[in-house]
Amino acid sequence: MCGIIGCVGRGDDTLDTLLDGLDTLEYRGYDSAGVALANGSVQTAKQAGELDALREHLGDQSLSGTVGIGHTRWSTHGPPTDANAHPHCDCTGDVAVVHNGIIENYQELRDELAADHEFLSDTDTEVIPHLIEDALADHEPEAAVRATLDRLEGSFAIAVVIAGTDAIFAARQDSPLVLGIDDDATYLASDVPAFRVHTDRVVYLDDGQFVRLDADGYTVTDFDGTPRSSSVETVDWDPEATGKAGYDHFMLKEIHEQPRALRQCLQGRVDELAGEVTLDIDPEVNRVQFVACGTSYHAALYGAALFRAAGVPAQAFLAHEYAIQTPPIEDDLVVAVSQSGETADTLAAIREADRRGADTLALTNVVGSTMARECTDALFIRSGPEIGVAASKTFSAQLTAVNLLALATVGAGDEDVRELIGALRDLPANIQTVLDESDAREVAREYVDSESFFFIGRRYHHPVALEGALKLKEISYTHAEGFAAGELKHGTLALVTPDTPVFAVVTGDDEAARKTIGNVKEVEARGAPVIAVTDGESDVERYADAVLEVPSTHARTAAVLANVQLQLVAYHVANELGRSIDKPRNLAKSVTVE
Ligand code: F6R
């Protein structure tokens, strides 16, 4: 949600370094982009639209400066216009600021400043450079920025450049910031991909930290100047991981990366011979509350079902609801499921659980993320960077990791643990089979003109139905709803017509499958086209207009395979419609505002 980049020490390459960094941060927002470079003076350029619009606007003009900051925006205050794009400047044009987050007291500050300052945008951010401008009357630049931080309420990651000062000042409060450390240059960004091509050495800043970057390197303090220790860590993925590797879209690449992502997730954690799963965490699990949003919430629903199957009370909560109406916590482990580890709603939920004394566990993809650092424990899903805004490989890895968590802590109830471990081990190869043999493109072409789609599934396939619908909605902009298969007849069946394709996830031939087939017959009787996602174990194909096959496996892992088919359907429908697949309208990855 908004991407920030800064660099010191790149000399003549400063502008290109900023633009290339912003390229990799566009998944955080793409409403507008801008840069500011400083030496004796501050030069800025900003433009509504994606980064290409800024590049075009810059044309041949090359801004110069020894230090620079850049921003790609996801709008909160004010529409995506040139004026609302960051950086924002003070009245003199000597102070430029980029910001991610929300300044909650901005109206009060703006009212106070309005008499003496001219505001050019609708943003909350613009109060910051004007406050710094006032503070510079009495303070040196660094002290002026610190004095300004004292006035701000809300969440922010900010970076500031000031004319005549060869430094970047930055601060973090509830929005991520990470430093990249190289021998001759230092970087600052919302996320590592922004500078990974230059260095793999990083320093994750904590809330309440202030940093000064200059030719001598960096110093980390708290907001009032007390030195704070910081440790340099090494990231374990290559810069190529953030490229498209020849695929048309990041999402397609990430869908195809799933076999590898899941191998990484399983590596060193399962011992099939011994029938054991070993994690490097050992939380006490008596009861579980999962908190998450969006796709991760669907993984949380699936996770809760696994724990319940093992006889352990478990429930999944939408994080934003949990944070404002927290259920009673007894000896619950509270598990935050979050790809980014930065989602503000999920952080708020986990902080509330922590305040009430619960042990917390982050199930996340991002090692240095706020959730990973704030929770009592972290279980990493090891998917590597995911750039497409729509989560794909990380959802499959979340489902895999939550299986490992359940097996390692509470077992599998009546299920055969060895069989389950075998099914998990087979997942990467089975996903590869789905990817190689899928008919999703043909199905997408057949039904692309439908105005509405439904997805149904029972038990482990219910979260898959929800996820299938969400994926289709977000990247194709087509109406879609997912349901527990038994629920359709309680109202929504009224919407089912010959123009509403229904995707039914039916694997195995157990009671759940038979009941879902009953629901399939109900929609078929109303003339709806049925697309069965199935392993062929039941006779659902008899009632289906099209079939998307998955290899036969355990019901838990079949859910992962069925979801891969639905990812491909969503992708191909969106592609047929010519949508902006990696950057769907109105969305951003990593939602760092509540
Ligand atoms: C949808 C999607 C979102 C995220 C949600 C939570 O494809 O990616 O629904 O799942 O914003 O994000 P994380 O998992 O980073 O907490």
Side-chain angles (χ1 to χ4, degrees):
M1 189 125 299
C2 297
I4 290 179
I5 168 106
C7 67
V8 177
R10 297 288 303 171
D12 292 345
D13 280 344
T14 303
L15 179 61
D16 287 342
T17 305
L18 296 176
L19 294 174
D20 292 347
L22 288 178
D23 230 343
T24 69
L25 289 176
E26 262 199 309
Y27 71 88
R28 302 180 66 88
Y30 29 85
D31 289 340
S32 61
V35 290
L37 280 78
N39 40 34
S41 63
V42 170
Q43 296 173 284
T44 62
K46 54 188 193 170
Q47 192 70 21
E50 297 189 9
L51 186 61
D52 284 346
L54 175 65
R55 286 188 194 272
E56 208 170 295
H57 168 71
L58 279 163
D60 293 335
Q61 62 168 308
S62 186
L63 309 186
S64 60
T66 50
V67 299
I69 54 178
H71 188 269
T72 178
R73 177 170 186 247
W74 186 82
S75 315
T76 53
H77 289 75
T81 59
D82 291 350
N84 287 336
H86 297 215
H88 291 285
C89 292
D90 67 331
C91 299
T92 65
D94 283 346
V95 179
V97 175
V98 292
H99 164 226
N100 173 20
I102 293 182
I103 305 301
E104 278 159 13
N105 59 336
Y106 90 98
Q107 193 58 57
E108 190 186 315
L109 293 169
R110 192 166 168 145
D111 292 346
E112 171 192 321
L113 292 160
D116 304 316
H117 295 263
E118 188 188 1
F119 281 83
L120 304 176
S121 79
D122 311 313
T123 65
D124 52 338
T125 306
E126 202 182 353
V127 297
I128 304 173
H130 292 292
L131 284 170
I132 297 173
E133 179 186 354
D134 279 357
L136 281 167
D138 303 316
H139 298 88
E140 291 299 311
E142 182 171 331
V145 178
R146 289 184 194 281
T148 297
L149 292 175
D150 280 347
R151 305 288 319 277
L152 306 181
E153 288 167 18
S155 65
F156 49 83
I158 61 167
V160 183
V161 290
I162 300 177
T165 310
D166 292 336
I168 298 174
F169 306 108
R172 171 194 162 132
Q173 185 62 50
D174 289 331
S175 269
L177 265 188
V178 56
L179 308 183
I181 316 300
D182 204 359
D183 295 340
D184 50 4
T186 316
Y187 307 87
L188 164 91
S190 305
D191 202 356
V192 179
F195 54 69
R196 175 65 191 87
V197 68
H198 305 294
T199 181
D200 62 356
R201 287 180 287 145
V202 302
V203 173
Y204 295 103
L205 294 183
D206 285 326
D207 283 343
Q209 290 192 330
F210 177 95
V211 63
R212 176 192 173 107
L213 308 184
D214 58 26
D216 297 328
Y218 65 97
T219 47
V220 180
T221 61
D222 61 19
F223 288 178
D224 64 17
T226 311
R228 296 268 291 260
S229 65
S230 59
S231 58
V232 179
E233 297 175 36
T234 306
V235 293
D236 62 358
W237 46 269
D238 296 329
E240 297 78 54
T242 57
K244 281 195 201 147
Y247 286 93
D248 288 345
H249 298 97
F250 281 110
M251 186 184 179
L252 191 59
K253 174 192 167 221
E254 287 155 5
I255 288 173
H256 282 266
E257 277 176 348
Q258 291 180 109
R260 194 176 64 192
L262 266 53
R263 265 184 214 107
Q264 287 167 184
C265 183
L266 293 166
Q267 196 170 13
R269 290 170 165 174
V270 290
D271 182 338
E272 217 185 329
L273 275 182
E276 268 175 21
V277 172
T278 321
L279 303 174
D280 49 13
I281 54 167
D282 188 17
E284 196 181 321
V285 180
N286 301 305
R287 307 159 54 90
V288 189
Q289 295 179 350
F290 285 92
V291 291
C293 303
T295 290
S296 295
Y297 173 67
H298 301 151
L301 285 170
Y302 173 95
L306 298 183
F307 278 87
R308 286 196 301 269
V312 174
Q315 241 181 307
F317 296 88
L318 287 165
H320 28 94
E321 292 296 319
Y322 185 98
I324 56 162
Q325 196 178 6
T326 308
I329 299 177
E330 295 174 21
D331 50 354
D332 296 76
L333 172 71
V334 180
V335 181
V337 184
S338 174
Q339 186 284 128
S340 61
E342 300 293 350
T343 300
D345 290 321
T346 312
L347 272 170
I350 217 78
R351 285 173 181 158
E352 186 55 31
D354 178 61
R355 210 179 58 74
R356 293 175 187 224
D359 275 352
T360 55
L361 171 69
L363 193 142
T364 182
N365 193 31
V366 182
V367 172
S369 61
T370 308
M371 253 173 255
R373 288 179 300 136
E374 286 194 11
C375 286
T376 321
D377 273 319
L379 175 61
F380 295 107
I381 63 171
R382 303 176 177 166
S383 293
E386 187 176 66
I387 308 293
V389 163
S392 57
K393 64 176 177 177
T394 55
F395 179 65
S396 296
Q398 286 170 342
L399 300 186
T400 306
V402 84
N403 265 294
L404 296 179
L405 180 65
L407 287 171
T409 56
V410 298
D414 296 338
E415 309 273 0
D416 181 334
V417 172
R418 273 204 175 74
E419 192 193 322
L420 255 170
I421 292 178
L424 289 169
R425 181 216 50 205
D426 292 343
L427 251 184
N430 282 337
I431 291 180
Q432 193 60 55
T433 304
V434 172
L435 294 172
D436 293 344
E437 298 175 8
S438 174
D439 292 324
R441 187 202 294 234
E442 289 68 33
V443 168
R445 285 190 173 152
E446 176 72 27
Y447 297 108
V448 62
D449 294 327
S450 307
E451 280 185 9
S452 197
F453 292 83
F454 296 107
F455 293 74
I456 58 172
R458 254 193 173 69
R459 208 176 179 208
Y460 300 121
H461 299 341
H462 171 213
V464 171
L466 298 178
E467 176 60 9
L470 176 61
K471 214 86 310 178
L472 186 66
K473 275 188 270 212
E474 75 176 312
I475 61 170
S476 76
Y477 317 153
T478 310
H479 176 255
E481 295 299 333
F483 290 94
E487 188 63 13
L488 212 56
K489 60 182 179 292
H490 294 291
T492 312
L493 199 54
L495 295 178
V496 169
T497 72
D499 297 323
T500 54
V502 177
F503 285 84
V505 183
V506 184
T507 64
D509 192 20
D510 58 4
E511 198 191 348
R514 283 192 292 279
K515 287 193 170 165
T516 307
I517 292 171
N519 305 127
V520 166
K521 290 179 192 164
E522 288 155 14
V523 299
E524 196 220 4
R526 272 80 190 170
V530 173
I531 301 99
V533 186
T534 182
D535 53 7
E537 299 280 329
S538 69
D539 66 350
V540 67
E541 296 183 21
R542 284 178 50 194
Y543 313 101
D545 298 86
V547 170
L548 293 170
E549 276 179 44
V550 297
S552 214
T553 176
H554 195 283
R556 295 184 183 189
T557 40
V560 183
L561 302 179
N563 181 64
V564 175
Q565 288 284 22
L566 298 183
Q567 290 171 348
L568 290 167
V569 171
Y571 174 83
H572 289 300
V573 170
N575 205 29
E576 289 291 320
L577 293 171
R579 303 300 192 221
S580 170
I581 292 180
D582 287 331
K583 293 183 260 179
R585 70 184 178 204
N586 304 338
L587 300 180
K589 211 168 180 72
S590 194
V591 184
T592 54
V593 292
E594 284 181 57

